[in-house]
Every structure is written in structure tokens, then in C-alpha cells.
């Protein structure tokens, strides 16, 4: 059951991004800037596809790889439900962040037409609520399927997301200057 929740949560996040990008495009705003600033971003999709396969394999009992880290079924069941709750909470936070973003939503860095600086809604508690949602999904899936491979993805995901956040923060600092610095002084990077 928890695996289905994880799959559903991850698919919802992707659908939210695609739907919002489509909405922005209809308004004449280019929201997808993935890989424009850093071509190495295109190394990410193959690893994401492998992650999807591993999630599906563990949920639907397909051929899989990765040694399980725990054998205690009681603690595993509790951890799995905590993971499922994290995934569902991540969807709610992500949706709140998308709504809070308004017309400033972008995937990647848009130095030309970035939109206004968003500091309200979900952005009043975290400068990066969408990325926090991805952290929560990665952690939730690891708790549902406590295998070394999911732990490795969790660690790699933390590093990649933090790397992207640092790039975006530098860009936002260049675009908004003191306004962004003041915002950083009031709201934490993650939580």
C-alpha cells in the first residue's frame, strides 16, 4: 500500500509541474528552463528513470536490485507508514508552493524574465518549499523501501538539490539584490 502512495505522490509532483508549465506557456511565459544554464542537468533524467523503475519494481514485485537494510518487519512497517505520510505531506507542500509561486514559477533558472520575488505563502516558511517536497519524497520512499540503493539515491538527491538551490540563490541574488538578501535573513533555506 505504501509503495502505491509513493508512486502516486511522485507522479502527482510531475503532473503538477507539467500542468503549471503548460498554464504558464498559455500565458506567454516560458517556465521550463531545465538544462539551459548547466548542460550537465541532462545527466539527471536517466537516473530518474532508473529510480522510477526501482520504485515500480519494489511496489509490484518486479526484478529489483539493492540489499534491504532492515529485517525487523514491525519497525519496517512503522517506518513505511511514516514514509507514506511524508510522501503525502510532500504533495500538499508542493501544491501549496506551486500555488504560492503564481506567475513566477520556473523550472530552472530564468535570468531574462524571472518574474517577481515570491516571499508569501509556502515561501514564508521556506525559501525552497518545492525542493523540500522532493527531499520528503526521497526520504519517504527510502523509509518505505529501506534498501541501500534508495539510500544512495536519497544522499545523491540531497546533494543535487542543494547544488541546484545554491545556483538558483546566486542567480536570485544577482537579479533581486538587497530584496533577496533581506528575504534570506528572514526565511530559512529549507526548513
Amino acid at each position: 500500500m505504501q509503495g502505491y502512495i509513493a508512486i502516486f505522490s511522485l507522479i502527482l509532483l510531475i503532473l503538477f509541474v507539467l500542468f503549471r508549465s503548460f498554464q504558464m506557456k498559455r500565458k506567454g511565459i516560458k517556465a521550463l528552463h531545465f538544462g539551459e544554464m548547466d548542460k550537465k542537468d541532462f545527466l539527471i533524467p536517466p537516473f530518474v528513470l532508473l529510480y522510477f523503475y526501482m520504485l515500480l519494481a519494489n511496489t509490484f514485485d518486479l526484478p529489483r536490485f539493492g540489499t534491504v537494510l532492515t529485517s525487523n518487519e514491525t519497525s519496517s512497517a512503522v517506518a513505511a507508514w511514516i514514509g507514506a505520510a511524508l510522501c503525502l505531506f510532500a504533495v500538499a507542500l508542493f501544491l501549496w508552493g506551486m500555488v504560492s509561486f503564481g506567475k513566477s514559477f520556473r523550472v530552472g533558472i530564468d535570468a531574462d524574465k524571472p518574474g517577481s520575488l515570491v516571499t508569501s505563502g509556502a515561501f514564508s516558511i521556506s525559501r525552497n518549499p518545492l525542493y523540500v517536497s522532493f527531499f520528503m519524497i526521497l526520504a519517504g520512499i527510502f523509509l518505505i523501501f529501506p534498501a541501500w540503493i534508495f539510500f544512495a539515491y536519497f544522499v545523491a538527491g540531497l546533494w543535487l538539490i542543494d547544488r541546484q538551490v545554491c545556483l538558483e540563490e546566486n542567480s536570485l541574488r544577482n537579479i533581486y539584490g538587497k530584496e533577496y538578501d533581506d528575504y534570506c535573513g528572514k526565511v530559512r533555506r529549507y526548513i
Side-chain angles (χ1 to χ4, degrees), residues 140-155:
I141 290 172
F142 170 66
L143 289 172
I144 294 168
F145 301 113
W148 283 104
I149 193 75
F150 285 108
F151 181 72
Y153 263 87
F154 175 71
V155 171

Side-chain angles (χ1 to χ4, degrees), residues 6 18 35 41 46 75 87 94 107 119 132 156 162:
L18 293 174
D41 286 348
S75 66
C87 289
F94 194 87
V107 176
T119 60
V132 170
D162 189 62

Side-chain angles (χ1 to χ4, degrees), residues 68-86:
V68 175
L69 296 174
T70 179
S71 60
N72 184 336
E73 288 189 30
T74 304
S75 66
S76 292
V78 171
W81 280 111
I82 292 170
L86 270 174

Side-chain angles (χ1 to χ4, degrees), residues 96 119-126 183 186-187:
W96 185 29
T119 60
S120 60
F123 292 88
S124 66
I125 60 167
S126 170
Y183 172 59
K186 296 175 191 166
V187 179

